[in-house]
Amino acid sequence: MKVLVVYCHPCTDSFNGAVRDTVLEALAERGHAVHLLDLYATGFDPVMRADEWRGYGDKAGNLEPVIDRAQELLWAETVIFIYPTWWYGLPAMLKGWLERVLVPGFAFDMPTAQRGPRPKLRHIRRVLVMTTCGATSLMSWIMGQPGRRTLLRGFRSVCHPLCSTKFLALYRMDTVSAAERQAHLQRVRKAVASLGHAASAPSDAVQKVHRV
């Protein structure tokens, strides 16, 4: 399976970094082809500027500024998001990636008077979301969980109609114990294991992890 891991955190030694490393290790153990997109490390610019917005609906040119990022999505069959929840939602860096890369003609076809929007990333059949949150699960639910909805409803809407999803969060991030953090990493490993093994990979092979 081709797995794109979208990692979004400014600090490489954060707990989100530990989640990232656990995910990459578990994927490699199962022989999956892995592509890591570290949005901060690549210096991705999340800001859509005026000229880019004016060309948003131009299928011939709207992908030009972010063509490399688009190619990563075309390659992937599964996408795993790893990020911290800030102000109950996505970090600006990750939100900007969605806005700039998932453009009309590439990720979806715009709606018309006769029909609604149509998904174009139908090769993506699995989406996993892994996040940390300082608030409790109850407070996050009261606030509407905007980050979870954006990815598991919004991003999923441009994927295969039968795309499966999974959400895994560590709440009360600022007060949980070291033991609770380790237990969460085990849950992360189990979630990745649910993807199964790559059918075409030799039993003793570990696929190379491509860091972009």
Side-chain angles (χ1 to χ4, degrees), residues 82-154:
I82 304 171
Y83 65 94
T85 294
W86 291 338
W87 277 97
Y88 304 100
L90 304 177
M93 178 72 83
L94 182 52
K95 184 61 163 57
W97 176 84
L98 292 169
E99 293 172 356
R100 294 191 63 211
V101 180
L102 302 184
V103 292
F106 167 67
F108 63 97
D109 282 329
M110 291 288 281
T112 67
Q114 291 75 36
R115 60 163 178 79
R118 291 181 174 175
K120 297 200 69 174
L121 301 180
R122 298 169 67 93
H123 54 283
I124 298 176
R125 302 184 68 103
R126 296 189 182 187
V127 176
L128 279 68
V129 174
M130 300 183 179
T131 188
T132 56
C133 187
T136 63
S137 58
L138 175 60
M139 182 60 72
S140 298
W141 178 81
I142 291 173
M143 295 299 176
Q145 297 181 307
R148 176 176 182 167
R149 292 188 178 195
T150 296
L151 294 177
L152 295 194
R153 297 186 184 184

Side-chain angles (χ1 to χ4, degrees), residues 4 35 37 39 42 44 66-74 97 101 106 212:
L4 173 64
H35 194 92
L37 168 60
L39 291 173
T42 60
F44 181 78
V66 290
I67 188 63
D68 291 341
R69 303 288 79 89
Q71 290 295 331
E72 292 161 350
L73 281 170
L74 288 176
W97 176 84
V101 180
F106 167 67
V212 176

Side-chain angles (χ1 to χ4, degrees), residues 52-85:
E52 194 171 337
W53 169 247
R54 291 191 178 98
Y56 183 75
D58 177 15
K59 296 180 183 180
N62 59 9
L63 267 186
E64 184 177 348
V66 290
I67 188 63
D68 291 341
R69 303 288 79 89
Q71 290 295 331
E72 292 161 350
L73 281 170
L74 288 176
W75 172 85
E77 298 168 314
T78 293
V79 180
I80 301 178
F81 293 95
I82 304 171
Y83 65 94
T85 294

